Amino acid sequence: LPFTAVFALHAGDVVSDPDPAAYPAADEILSQIPYPIYYAAGNHDEATALQRYLLKQHNSTTPFDYTVEVNGAQLIVVDSNGPAVFPAGSVTPAQLEWLCNLCAAPDDRPLIVATHHNPLPVGIPWLDNYMGLTDGEDFHAALLPARHRLRGVFFGHVHQNLTIQRDGILYSSTLSTWEQLHAWPGQTETIVDEAAEPGFSVVTITRDQTFIRRHRFKV
């Protein structure tokens, strides 16, 4: 990139199979990124191995939830791999309470929230009934107290660029660095987008707005 980013956000599925032997290989590649990386655990990840090999943490936490301050903004990462029929996700009541307390706290910092699964329904059966958060409405409700400072909820999982706007909250996914998937109205099964290239997004957060530029690259 022709600039130095403040940090990178990996929205999950660091590996395609939760084999601990894959994480050292992922670390060898991702450690070349010259700025901090914050990870959300994906449904294909093993959170303990992710924390051990990529974050060098021998005392892992489950669920893998955390909050940090980055350049004056608050980043909240929520593990969405709660009880659900794979590949859907969920968050537990304890996680929702933790998230709600953070969002209701008096705080004027710009807020960024990251998770893996797509949180809200969009009227596409494949995304809503198969891939998404089963308790996404509760997740959304927990965020509402902070919507005045919430600059975006960023997620992975769906292998495509999606944007959802609801109650003043921006939800945004980005392309996978692997293969992409379709999301047509009425779609009920997983369909690979054979023509789509992998990609990433560059996101600029300020106190007043969010700017997202989508990028693709050839492999």
Side-chain angles (χ1 to χ4, degrees), residues 1 10 29-30 33 161 174-180 193-202 213-219:
L1 296 174
H10 194 305
I29 296 168
L30 294 170
I33 295 176
N161 292 322
T174 195
L175 293 174
S176 167
T177 53
W178 183 36
E179 66 181 6
Q180 313 314 316
D193 186 350
E194 300 285 357
E197 297 167 332
F200 61 95
S201 296
V202 174
R213 179 174 169 81
R214 313 290 192 178
H215 294 265
R216 296 176 182 268
F217 60 88
K218 295 184 180 297
V219 294

Side-chain angles (χ1 to χ4, degrees), residues 96-164:
L96 286 170
E97 182 179 8
W98 172 77
L99 179 61
C100 190
N101 288 338
L102 287 172
C103 290
D107 199 322
D108 64 354
R109 294 174 294 175
L111 174 61
I112 306 161
V113 174
T115 193
H116 179 65
H117 291 81
N118 41 307
L120 290 182
V122 293
I124 299 172
W126 171 70
L127 288 174
D128 298 346
N129 304 329
Y130 181 65
M131 295 282 283
L133 277 183
T134 60
D135 46 7
E137 295 294 339
D138 294 330
F139 181 87
H140 178 71
L143 299 175
L144 287 175
R147 60 184 166 183
H148 63 288
R149 66 185 184 96
L150 181 50
R151 296 293 165 261
V153 180
F154 298 95
F155 60 98
H157 193 46
V158 296
H159 294 238
Q160 58 194 289
N161 292 322
L162 290 182
T163 302
I164 306 167

Side-chain angles (χ1 to χ4, degrees), residues 21-195:
Y23 285 96
D27 180 54
E28 182 178 352
I29 296 168
L30 294 170
S31 64
Q32 298 176 52
I33 295 176
Y35 30 85
I37 309 174
Y38 296 100
Y39 294 93
N43 60 301
H44 287 280
D45 282 316
E46 204 291 302
T48 299
L50 188 159
Q51 292 172 76
R52 178 181 178 185
Y53 290 103
L54 277 76
L55 303 180
K56 318 304 180 188
Q57 296 177 354
H58 294 285
N59 296 320
S60 60
T61 60
T62 305
F64 184 39
D65 300 326
Y66 59 95
T67 180
V68 294
E69 180 172 322
V70 187
N71 202 31
Q74 182 183 24
L75 170 65
I76 300 174
V77 180
V78 183
D79 189 339
S80 58
N81 292 291
V85 177
F86 187 92
S90 72
V91 288
T92 66
Q95 288 178 283
L96 286 170
E97 182 179 8
W98 172 77
L99 179 61
C100 190
N101 288 338
L102 287 172
C103 290
D107 199 322
D108 64 354
R109 294 174 294 175
L111 174 61
I112 306 161
V113 174
T115 193
H116 179 65
H117 291 81
N118 41 307
L120 290 182
V122 293
I124 299 172
W126 171 70
L127 288 174
D128 298 346
N129 304 329
Y130 181 65
M131 295 282 283
L133 277 183
T134 60
D135 46 7
E137 295 294 339
D138 294 330
F139 181 87
H140 178 71
L143 299 175
L144 287 175
R147 60 184 166 183
H148 63 288
R149 66 185 184 96
L150 181 50
R151 296 293 165 261
V153 180
F154 298 95
F155 60 98
H157 193 46
V158 296
H159 294 238
Q160 58 194 289
N161 292 322
L162 290 182
T163 302
I164 306 167
Q165 185 82 18
R166 182 167 168 188
D167 295 327
I169 297 177
L170 169 69
Y171 292 85
S172 179
S173 67
T174 195
L175 293 174
S176 167
T177 53
W178 183 36
E179 66 181 6
Q180 313 314 316
L181 304 174
H182 279 298
W184 299 112
Q187 183 177 326
T188 59
E189 59 185 17
T190 304
I191 303 174
V192 175
D193 186 350
E194 300 285 357

